[in-house]
Amino acid sequence: MSTLLREHGFRVTKGKQALLQALHAHNAPLSVGALHEALGKHAPNPTTLYRSLLDLANAGIVRRTDLNTGIAHFEYTPERPHHHHIVCTSCNAIEEIDLCNVGTLEKKVARASKQFAHIDTHSLEFFGHCRACAQ
Amino acid sequence: MSTLLREHGFRVTKGKQALLQALHAHNAPLSVGALHEALGKHAPNPTTLYRSLLDLANAGIVRRTDLNTGIAHFEYTPERPHHHHIVCTSCNAIEEIDLCNVGTLEKKVARASKQFAHIDTHSLEFFGHCRACAQ
DNA sequence: ATCCGTGCAAACAGTTTGCACACTC
DNA sequence: GAGTGTGCAAACTGTTTGCACGGAT
């Protein structure tokens, strides 16, 4: 974790280490609030969280997704293959999906587009109800 | 437009009519701010816009998408086949994509999921750079 | 010793809520 | 006339910015 930070030119601080550790452990998009809570006693100031997450996102170490909730979620990306999520529209539970065949569609779309020079990435989320909320 | 409102139990007011008209005309996800601006002189109070859009979204007449920007966007859905968008990560330009073969993937995902009872919908957005911003 | 990272306070933007009035039915 | 829709003001939440201090290199 520390080498990862160094490789990207970040200083190795307790805050960023703990933050990455927590994101890595949770293994799903986490809102800033939830992340702050998860860090508990050693949590950095929310301000610092936002700043760190922004930097880490620019470095490509974490990925931002809003999941159509209006609030930012972040997930740890290294060692993780490209994947997507199902979100429960009642309780906001999130499950990971390890399959993605959008790659070919992405190429097709890039070719069909008139206004766009190239496509860098995509986000695909499914929305439904988890078993607990389904009844 | 007025019959559409009536069908869903809404009263036919100038505000909602203008709002739907504008969304229909623009034909792409519009932020509340942009929508308010587009309505110009006759724009309802922003508060009313939020309330109306929420109601219309619950009725299925408009659809909310955040496009990972952190702010709510809405688009007019009747008469429009299911579709997706490409967003320019520099200037936020939006282009529509009329092809979507995610349906089969959605079924596959629903079957593979352990925690989820059913999937209602999905959102798929591509991110890249438009020709203007590419250089 | 240098300079990035952090904390605190305050500002900000988007969104929501309460209440009184206006307009649709 | 009854009751939903709207405007205005104020509250709220998530997020950003400024500045001074502390810690990593």
Side-chain angles (χ1 to χ4, degrees), chain A residues 13-82:
Chain A
T13 81
K14 292 197 171 192
K16 281 209 182 62
Q17 283 186 106
L19 145 50
L20 282 182
Q21 210 60 258
L23 275 190
H24 182 239
H26 188 270
N27 206 17
L30 215 46
S31 70
V32 180
L35 176 58
H36 187 262
E37 204 169 287
L39 286 169
K41 192 59 188 171
H42 323 77
N45 190 296
T47 303
T48 303
L49 277 187
Y50 280 106
R51 269 193 282 231
S52 301
L53 288 167
L54 185 65
D55 293 342
L56 293 170
N58 285 335
I61 300 175
V62 304
R63 193 172 102 82
R64 174 184 172 157
T65 330
D66 290 359
L67 302 174
N68 278 350
T69 58
I71 76 178
H73 290 66
F74 293 88
E75 63 182 334
Y76 184 80
T77 49
E79 316 166 10
R80 300 246 40 222
H82 180 71

Side-chain angles (χ1 to χ4, degrees), chain B residues 16-134:
Chain B
K16 281 208 182 65
Q17 283 186 107
L19 147 48
L20 282 182
Q21 210 60 258
L23 275 190
H24 182 239
H26 189 269
N27 206 17
L30 214 46
S31 70
V32 180
L35 175 59
H36 186 262
E37 205 169 286
L39 286 169
K41 191 61 187 170
H42 323 78
N45 190 295
T47 304
T48 303
L49 278 187
Y50 281 107
R51 270 193 282 233
S52 301
L53 289 167
L54 185 64
D55 293 342
L56 294 170
N58 285 335
I61 300 175
V62 304
R63 193 171 101 83
R64 175 185 170 156
T65 331
D66 289 359
L67 304 175
N68 278 352
T69 57
I71 76 178
H73 290 65
F74 294 88
E75 64 182 334
Y76 184 81
T77 49
E79 316 165 11
R80 300 247 38 222
H82 180 71
H83 63 280
H84 299 291
H85 309 96
I86 319 180
V87 183
C88 175
T89 48
S90 293
C91 70
N92 292 319
I94 300 172
E95 181 176 342
E96 303 242 325
I97 305 164
D98 275 325
L99 47 95
C100 168
N101 64 1
V102 182
T104 55
L105 179 60
E106 181 167 307
K107 289 197 192 72
K108 211 180 297 177
V109 166
R111 219 171 299 123
S113 167
K114 302 205 183 311
Q115 301 174 33
F116 277 72
H118 57 88
I119 294 179
D120 300 319
T121 181
H122 64 264
S123 93
L124 169 61
E125 330 292 348
F126 295 91
F127 300 94
H129 291 277
C130 70
R131 299 193 190 287
C133 293

